[in-house]
Amino acid sequence: MNAPLCDPEELRTLFLFEQLTDAQLAELCRDGRIETIEPGPVYAEGDPATCFYVLIEGSVVLSKLSGGEDLVVNRTSQRGVYAGAWQAYLGDRVPQTYQGSMRVTAQSRFFVLDADCFASIVREWFPMALHLLEGLFFGNQNTKQVVEQRERLLALGSLSAGLTHELNNPAAAAVRATSALRNRVAHMRQKLAMIAGGTLDRSSLSHLVGLQNEAVELVAKAPKLTAMEASDREDELGEWFDDNGIDGGWDLAPTFVSAGLDVPWLDRVSATVGDPAMLEGAIRWLNYTVETELLMNEISDSTTRISTLVGAAKQYSQMDRAPYQTVDVRELLDSTLIMLGRKIGDDIRVVKEYDPSVPPIPAYAAELNQVWTNLIDNAVQAMEGRGTLTVRTLLDDDQVQIEVCDTGPGVPEDIRSRIFEPFFTTKAVGEGTGLGLDISWRIVVKKHQGDLRVVSEPGDTRFIVRLPVHPAIEEAS
């Protein structure tokens, strides 16, 4: 069966070719061909781009993959619409694959050019337009890369500043506590020497040391008191110190109260010492003991906090770990929340709703942390530093779903379809590049074959990430 003939005059009726000369139309017919295609797929996204298609008559559907599903982006019967290898003129500087899929829903006729012929014709006929198109294409790519790099550096700088601030507080507290501890230990040695050289017999001194050990144990078990309860107990102890002739007893009372020591316990100390002249020295010796224990607890808390922050930083940056690995998304979320703790602030309540059935998944962990950073940062800004931030995980069939929710004013309906576009931002000029959500979308959808979407109404905005438990991807070489 002979192939349908290509008619230059028919090509002239298509808006794409209407301004071409007779010679150009004749050359198109020589190099190209007419194809009649039955309903069904024509090409698939990701396949080598071999042909450029122009619709003469019929109906086509163009689609792109999103979250593993074919998302229809255009359905048309307009004559002259084109698709296929339209980037062939860029040569091997870009991957020559179909950027989407095309199928026809009715018997359709196309004018078809092989990709090489299409590229050659564009270079020969439209040299100025080709330079403009190349400049636009690669210029946009370069701009996007530069701004994206700056976005990452700004985020890194913000995180570094926050981490430095978070580390400085416990480190400074540990230094102060260590200095105070050295002073208390010195005083405790002096008081112990005075007590040992006094009138206490061996049995009384042994009982006093026993009370010292008991005080240390009580510090660890001390109940948390309200401000009113602590004030009442300090008054009781202050009066006891006055009644027993101890100078500055009101300054000692807060330390004993924080250790959970009360009037009956002090009565036991008084009974053990016996000699009123020795009581103040014993009380101050026990006070140094309690202060020493409290300072050691402060040092322990501070160093634990530092260790936690360093661990979170390593988890967040995935330092010394393979880029592609099996990870627990809950650990990634926790490390990101710790890293963003200063930015989140004290006026935002953080709620974590983690489904324990969520399994570890293979992923690019450091890049997912970048996604959580962008989503949480946007949520905090949307709430203007006050509200509730909810981070939720759940297992839905063979996908892990992660939700970052905020109680801000919501994303207006008229811009929801654009928020994942590159350079689109609702922030004031200079406050945002508009790449955070675009980067997040590409990491989730392109790199992990997942899905990222937003559901929003005033007071309840949810950015929903879905990641496959068993992705059909391999680590990039």
Side-chain angles (χ1 to χ4, degrees):
M1 180 176 177
N2 294 329
L5 295 177
C6 176
D7 181 2
E9 291 306 315
E10 184 177 37
L11 293 186
R12 195 189 298 276
T13 64
L14 306 176
F15 67 85
L16 194 62
F17 303 135
E18 60 187 3
Q19 297 299 320
L20 297 182
T21 65
D22 291 344
Q24 289 172 326
L25 290 171
E27 185 173 343
L28 280 179
C29 275
R30 284 197 307 271
D31 293 339
R33 60 189 180 276
I34 303 297
E35 287 189 12
T36 299
I37 300 177
E38 299 297 326
V42 180
Y43 59 76
E45 182 175 346
D47 288 347
T50 58
C51 295
F52 176 73
Y53 294 86
V54 182
L55 181 65
I56 298 176
E57 58 183 0
S59 180
V60 300
V61 175
L62 301 176
S63 62
K64 287 188 68 68
L65 289 173
S66 175
E69 299 179 2
D70 243 5
L71 180 66
V72 174
V73 295
N74 195 11
R75 187 187 299 268
T76 182
S77 299
Q78 181 181 358
R79 300 179 74 249
V81 296
Y82 55 90
W86 63 273
Q87 288 187 334
Y89 59 83
L90 296 173
D92 57 8
R93 288 172 290 177
V94 299
Q96 290 299 328
T97 57
Y98 290 119
Q99 301 301 298
S101 300
M102 183 174 77
R103 70 178 189 273
V104 296
T105 56
Q107 187 183 74
S108 304
R109 291 175 64 236
F110 291 90
F111 172 72
V112 182
L113 264 178
D114 289 340
D116 291 341
C117 290
F118 173 69
S120 177
I121 285 174
V122 171
R123 294 190 192 103
E124 181 183 345
W125 292 359
F126 312 108
M128 181 177 177
L130 177 62
H131 291 311
L132 292 172
L133 287 171
E134 287 178 337
L136 180 64
F137 182 86
F138 292 110
N140 279 343
Q141 271 196 338
N142 292 336
T143 300
K144 191 173 181 179
Q145 288 173 357
V146 170
V147 177
E148 182 177 317
Q149 184 68 19
R150 181 176 180 272
E151 177 101 347
R152 287 174 171 162
L153 289 173
L154 287 173
L156 180 60
S158 177
L159 287 171
S160 298
L163 181 61
T164 301
H165 178 83
E166 292 288 340
L167 285 171
N168 183 64
N169 288 341
V175 170
R176 288 194 303 269
T178 301
S179 177
L181 179 62
R182 183 178 291 109
N183 178 270
R184 299 304 187 275
V185 169
H187 282 81
M188 188 166 62
R189 288 197 300 265
Q190 294 170 6
K191 290 298 179 185
L192 180 59
M194 292 173 61
I195 293 170
T199 59
L200 289 181
D201 57 31
R202 179 177 296 180
S203 177
S204 297
L205 185 59
S206 177
H207 280 92
L208 189 59
V209 172
L211 287 171
Q212 180 194 39
N213 292 330
E214 185 179 325
V216 170
E217 293 177 2
L218 289 172
V219 170
K221 302 175 183 177
K224 291 186 179 298
L225 303 176
T226 64
M228 185 66 70
E229 290 172 335
S231 178
D232 290 343
R233 293 194 183 188
E234 287 172 12
D235 289 342
E236 293 175 4
L237 295 191
E239 292 174 1
W240 188 93
F241 291 135
D242 280 349
D243 293 342
N244 286 272
I246 297 173
D247 293 335
W250 292 96
D251 295 329
L252 301 177
T255 301
F256 281 81
V257 169
S258 63
L261 307 179
D262 52 18
V263 168
W265 192 86
L266 292 175
D267 288 337
R268 290 170 57 199
V269 175
S270 179
T272 298
V273 174
D275 184 355
M278 297 293 296
L279 180 59
E280 181 170 348
I283 288 294
R284 292 195 179 278
W285 178 62
L286 290 169
N287 177 68
Y288 290 136
T289 297
V290 172
E291 284 188 326
T292 298
E293 193 65 22
L294 292 173
L295 287 169
M296 286 193 293
N297 286 345
E298 185 177 346
I299 293 171
S300 177
D301 291 342
S302 298
T303 52
T304 298
R305 174 65 178 161
I306 292 172
S307 178
T308 300
L309 286 167
V310 171
K314 288 184 70 175
Q315 174 68 267
Y316 182 84
S317 65
Q318 293 297 298
M319 188 185 304
D320 302 327
R321 300 186 183 185
Y324 190 71
Q325 58 182 296
T326 299
V327 296
D328 187 333
V329 294
R330 292 163 294 194
E331 293 180 357
L332 302 184
L333 290 165
D334 281 342
S335 68
T336 304
L337 287 169
I338 291 174
M339 292 292 290
L340 294 175
R342 183 164 176 256
K343 179 171 284 191
I344 293 172
D346 297 328
D347 294 328
I348 291 181
R349 186 169 70 99
V350 178
V351 177
K352 294 190 285 189
E353 299 177 359
Y354 293 165
D355 181 353
S357 67
V358 170
I361 62 171
Y364 294 90
E367 297 192 36
L368 285 184
N369 281 337
Q370 188 177 1
V371 174
W372 315 143
T373 299
N374 290 335
L375 298 185
I376 292 171
D377 187 39
N378 282 348
V380 170
Q381 291 191 31
M383 293 186 286
E384 297 183 345
R386 186 179 300 273
T388 299
L389 172 70
T390 302
V391 181
R392 181 181 298 119
T393 68
L394 55 95
L395 182 62
D396 184 8
D397 292 331
D398 61 346
Q399 291 198 319
V400 173
Q401 182 165 310
I402 302 96
E403 299 181 5
V404 176
C405 319
D406 68 72
T407 55
V411 181
E413 187 175 356
D414 59 336
I415 68 169
R416 265 177 231 164
S417 62
R418 300 189 59 201
I419 60 173
F420 297 113
E421 293 178 7
F423 304 108
F424 178 80
T425 179
T426 58
K427 299 172 186 174
V429 174
E431 292 185 9
T433 60
L435 280 177
L437 289 178
D438 170 57
I439 293 170
S440 300
W441 187 89
R442 284 188 283 115
I443 290 172
V444 172
V445 177
K446 294 290 189 181
K447 202 149 192 177
H448 290 87
Q449 296 185 351
D451 184 49
L452 173 58
R453 64 187 63 184
V454 62
V455 176
S456 182
E457 60 183 44
D460 182 18
T461 296
R462 289 179 292 144
F463 279 87
I464 302 171
V465 176
R466 292 174 64 86
L467 299 169
V469 175
H470 304 292
I473 58 177
E474 298 180 354
E475 181 182 1
S477 57

